[in-house]
């Protein structure tokens, strides 16, 4: 039998473990899996969530139709598609895992803050808008309550490309200077997949 505890954050899990050692009652949501039986059957493996939530905002860079296949059917994907539709994109669900996105008519506007704050990957909208329009105003991303995860490395990359960035408690305002974004060397302080992707997205249309 395997017991899998479902804490909402790393900090909460550590606190519960400490409480257990002190003999306190610390019940929490959990999965209980009874094993000992052979597993068999067929399943379909969907595309990677972390790839999909970066590719979808990146379609903002394209003034034309993008067809994305093997898209996972998850809430983060649906929210990002809703954000793009709110911004003026044409979104067509061709099948349960295939979507076509046309951002030709998307305007330079602020994405819906409520939707943006509901997922972590919404920070890719900053790089995409900055790359296409030269400016972006996006609410700070939300998402799962794992632990504090700042976007300082994203900001450092945008600055290295020549953008001016102002970050408040609620928003990130990024704007290219008059001469536009410029190619440059970006050195991140720590390894960050999200920041790397976001910087690449912002730099795609740089001459």
């Amino acid at each position: 039998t395997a017991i899998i505890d479902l804490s909402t954050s790393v900090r909460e899990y550590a606190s519960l473990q400490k409480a257990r050692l002190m003999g306190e009652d610390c019940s929490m949501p959990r999965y209980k899996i009874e094993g000992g039986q052979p597993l068999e059957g067929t399943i379909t493996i969907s595309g990677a969530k972390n790839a999909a939530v970066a590719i979808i905002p990146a379609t903002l860079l394209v003034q034309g139709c993008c067809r994305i296949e093997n898209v996972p059917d998850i809430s983060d994907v649906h929210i990002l598609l809703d954000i793009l539709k709110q911004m003026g994109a044409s979104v067509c669900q061709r099948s349960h895992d295939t979507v076509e996105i046309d951002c030709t008519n998307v305007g330079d506007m602020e994405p819906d803050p409520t939707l943006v704050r509901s997922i972590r990957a919404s920070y890719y909208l900053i790089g995409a808008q900055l790359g296409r329009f030269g400016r972006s105003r996006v609410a700070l991303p939300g998402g799962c309550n794992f632990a504090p995860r700042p976007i300082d490395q994203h900001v450092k990359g945008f600055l290295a490309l020549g953008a001016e960035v102002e970050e408040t408690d609620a928003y990130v305002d990024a704007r290219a200077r008059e001469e536009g974004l410029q190619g440059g060397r970006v050195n991140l302080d720590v390894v960050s997949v999200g920041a790397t992707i976001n910087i690449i997205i912002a730099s795609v249309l740089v001459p």
Side-chain angles (χ1 to χ4, degrees):
T1 300
I3 303 295
I4 305 173
D5 291 329
L6 303 176
S7 60
T8 58
S9 71
V10 174
R11 189 172 299 171
E12 178 187 351
Y13 184 79
S15 297
L16 288 168
Q17 290 292 82
K18 183 177 180 180
R20 277 201 186 99
L21 292 175
M22 297 176 66
E24 299 177 12
D25 179 24
C26 51
S27 58
M28 62 191 299
R30 59 179 55 183
Y31 288 126
K32 182 178 180 181
I33 302 172
E34 297 286 352
Q37 300 295 325
L39 299 178
E40 60 182 53
T42 302
I43 62 171
T44 300
I45 305 299
S46 65
K49 172 248 188 183
N50 287 343
V53 298
I55 292 169
I56 291 171
T59 62
L60 279 169
L61 299 171
V62 181
Q63 297 189 54
C65 185
C66 297
R67 181 183 176 94
I68 310 172
E69 300 178 349
N70 202 22
V71 179
D73 184 14
I74 57 174
S75 61
D76 283 24
V77 164
H78 299 312
I79 291 170
L80 283 170
L81 293 176
D82 286 342
I83 290 173
L84 292 184
K85 285 189 282 188
Q86 171 259 327
M87 295 174 67
S90 171
V91 177
C92 182
Q93 192 80 40
R94 292 299 182 187
S95 69
H96 72 282
D97 66 351
T98 300
V99 63
E100 291 182 353
I101 305 171
D102 189 340
C103 292
T104 300
N105 297 319
V106 169
D108 176 14
M109 62 183 297
E110 179 187 326
D112 185 329
T114 301
L115 293 175
V116 166
R117 292 190 179 106
S118 66
I119 56 172
R120 178 70 181 169
S122 55
Y123 51 46
Y124 292 126
L125 295 166
I126 305 171
Q129 283 194 303
L130 186 61
R132 177 168 173 180
F133 302 114
R135 52 189 175 272
S136 174
R137 175 176 166 83
V138 177
L140 285 176
C144 55
N145 181 27
F146 249 170
R149 294 184 291 175
I151 61 169
D152 58 308
Q153 298 304 301
H154 303 243
V155 172
K156 181 175 182 180
F158 300 148
L159 292 172
L161 296 175
E164 296 175 341
V165 183
E166 180 181 352
E167 185 179 355
T168 68
D169 291 337
Y171 284 88
V172 176
D173 282 283
R175 183 177 295 269
R177 297 187 176 91
E178 186 175 348
E179 62 272 18
L181 297 179
Q182 305 293 317
R185 187 179 186 89
V186 181
N187 292 304
L188 301 180
D189 300 319
V190 295
V191 174
S192 171
V193 174
T196 301
I197 293 172
N198 217 355
I199 296 163
I200 291 171
I201 290 174
S203 64
V204 164
L205 299 181
V206 174

